[in-house]
Amino acid sequence: MTMHHQEQMAPAFDWFPPWLTVIASILLLGAALHHLPCVLHGHGNRWFHLGHIAMCASMIYMYLIMSFRPPVSWGPDARTAQMWFFTATSAVVLAHLMVLIARRRTFSLLWVLLLVQQVAMIYMWLPMRWWSGLLTTVVSVWFLVEAIGWLADVFRGYRITPADSRTDVPDDVHMTGGWADRLTMASMAVAMAYMFVGMQAMAGFEF
């Protein structure tokens, strides 16, 4: 999000008041810290949890710049860097899934959700002139549904099995299904959905 984009956005309703950013940032920081022990102690696949930590850090930055309007030097370069960063993480996750499919191994649905999340972060950091109101609506609804799914605990334990699967490997995603996991993941999804809706509303819902 560049300052040029911010100057174009002058809504009557303040979608990102400082108090909201503080709450969202605390929740996202808590989510990142929740994933951190899995990275440090090797519970499950470290890269899975690092992907979520990266998303939380990027979202905190996005909320901060939406509320507090940092100097222009914080804007374009950081936006471009994060866009390409999540392009790389999306490619890595996609490659991981393709390898598992090629080897006919089952894998957790949570890897697919992580891929969608990383791709959504690319879209979030694109220049606003490339945004579509229709696509933003679809993405926002996706993350709201995902939040409900996490609260209902419908994702954990669901595994995708390629046709003619020859091997079955232990699930490498460490999610216990307790309320800490579920609330953490749901809060991340809600933060994503709100950011998309707020940014698109500020720019205008042009389909």
Side-chain angles (χ1 to χ4, degrees), residues 1-2 35 38 87 96 130 142:
M1 177 65 64
T2 66
H35 283 280
C38 294
T87 298
H96 176 66
W130 294 356
W142 169 279

Side-chain angles (χ1 to χ4, degrees), residues 133-150:
L134 178 60
L135 181 56
T136 302
T137 300
V138 171
V139 173
S140 301
V141 170
W142 169 279
F143 282 109
L144 287 176
V145 171
E146 183 180 318
I148 295 172
W150 280 113

Side-chain angles (χ1 to χ4, degrees), residues 62-76:
M62 177 65 86
Y63 270 100
L64 289 174
I65 66 173
M66 293 301 293
S67 290
F68 297 106
R69 304 295 190 267
V72 68
S73 60
W74 290 20

Side-chain angles (χ1 to χ4, degrees), residues 9-198:
M9 298 177 179
F13 177 75
D14 186 2
W15 284 87
F16 299 97
W19 64 265
L20 177 65
T21 285
V22 170
I23 293 174
S25 297
I26 290 173
L27 290 174
L28 289 164
L29 178 60
L33 293 176
H34 182 72
H35 283 280
L36 189 59
C38 294
V39 175
L40 296 177
H41 301 296
H43 297 157
N45 188 301
R46 285 187 171 93
W47 294 107
F48 174 84
H49 298 285
L50 282 170
H52 287 96
I53 291 174
M55 170 265 172
C56 288
S58 183
M59 286 295 296
I60 290 172
Y61 177 84
M62 177 65 86
Y63 270 100
L64 289 174
I65 66 173
M66 293 301 293
S67 290
F68 297 106
R69 304 295 190 267
V72 68
S73 60
W74 290 20
D77 292 340
R79 177 193 64 77
T80 302
Q82 293 191 70
M83 181 185 69
W84 286 111
F85 173 81
F86 286 105
T87 298
T89 61
S90 299
V92 169
V93 176
L94 178 60
H96 176 66
L97 293 180
M98 295 300 292
V99 169
L100 292 177
I101 292 173
R103 294 179 177 177
R104 299 179 183 178
R105 293 185 176 179
T106 61
F107 55 90
S108 172
L109 174 65
L110 300 186
W111 280 104
V112 178
L113 298 184
L114 176 63
L115 176 61
V116 173
Q117 180 193 88
Q118 302 297 293
V119 172
M121 292 302 296
I122 301 173
Y123 180 57
M124 182 173 290
W125 286 107
L126 286 175
M128 288 298 296
R129 65 179 179 276
W130 294 356
W131 277 41
S132 159
L134 178 60
L135 181 56
T136 302
T137 300
V138 171
V139 173
S140 301
V141 170
W142 169 279
F143 282 109
L144 287 176
V145 171
E146 183 180 318
I148 295 172
W150 280 113
L151 293 175
D153 196 23
V154 300
F155 301 131
R156 185 181 57 87
Y158 189 91
R159 309 189 72 191
I160 298 174
T161 303
D164 301 322
S165 178
R166 296 177 179 176
T167 59
D168 191 10
V169 295
D171 199 339
D172 62 351
V173 175
H174 183 254
M175 298 293 288
T176 64
W179 277 106
D181 278 348
R182 292 155 69 179
L183 289 174
T184 292
M185 301 304 291
S187 64
M188 292 168 61
V190 170
M192 289 278 282
Y194 186 87
M195 177 59 72
F196 279 117
V197 171

